[in-house]
C-alpha cells in the first residue's frame, strides 16, 4: 500500500509538500518556438536561393572553363608553383632560424 502512495506520473512535479501537474510546454518554450520558426524559415530560404544561384552559375561557367582550359590549366599550374615556392621558402627560413 505504501508503494502505491509514492508512485508518480511522468508529468508530475513534486516540490516539498506540494504537487504540481504540468499539462504542456511552458510559455517560454512556446515563445521560443514561435520566435525561432520564422528565423529558421528565412535562413532555409536563403540557403535554397544560394544553392540555386550556385548551380546556375556553375551551369553558365562550365562551358567557359572548357573553352578556356588550354589557357587556364597552365596558369593554374604556374600559380600553384609560385605559392608552393613561397611556402617552402618560408618553411626553410623558419627551419634555419629555429636551428640557430
Amino acid at each position: 500500500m505504501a508503494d502505491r502512495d509514492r508512485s508518480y506520473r511522468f508529468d508530475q512535479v513534486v516540490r516539498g509538500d506540494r504537487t504540481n501537474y504540468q499539462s504542456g510546454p511552458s510559455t517560454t518554450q512556446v515563445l521560443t518556438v514561435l520566435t525561432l520558426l520564422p528565423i529558421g524559415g528565412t535562413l532555409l530560404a536563403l540557403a535554397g536561393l544560394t544553392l540555386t544561384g550556385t548551380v546556375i552559375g556553375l551551369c553558365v561557367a562550365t562551358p567557359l572553363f572548357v573553352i578556356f582550359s588550354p589557357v587556364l590549366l597552365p596558369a593554374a599550374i604556374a600559380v600553384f608553383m609560385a605559392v608552393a615556392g613561397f611556402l617552402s621558402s618560408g618553411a626553410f627560413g623558419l627551419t634555419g632560424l629555429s636551428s640557430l
Side-chain angles (χ1 to χ4, degrees):
M1 282 294 220
D3 291 339
R4 205 175 281 180
D5 293 336
R6 295 185 74 56
S7 65
Y8 302 112
R9 291 184 3 189
F10 70 93
D11 60 347
Q12 183 178 1
V13 178
V14 178
R15 291 191 181 122
D17 58 348
R18 295 182 312 166
T19 303
N20 295 330
Y21 291 97
Q22 297 177 347
S23 61
S26 67
T27 306
T28 305
Q29 291 172 336
V30 172
L31 288 175
T32 302
V33 169
L34 289 177
T35 302
L36 291 179
L37 277 176
I39 294 172
T42 303
L43 291 175
L44 187 62
L46 287 174
L49 287 173
T50 304
L51 178 65
T52 304
T54 302
V55 169
I56 290 172
L58 187 62
C59 289
V60 169
T62 299
L64 294 175
F65 286 146
V66 171
I67 291 170
F68 292 112
S69 64
V71 175
L72 292 176
L73 190 62
I77 291 173
V79 168
F80 172 75
M81 298 278 285
V83 169
F86 281 118
L87 290 177
S88 62
S89 171
F92 290 146
L94 284 175
T95 305
L97 284 176
S98 65
S99 66
L100 292 176

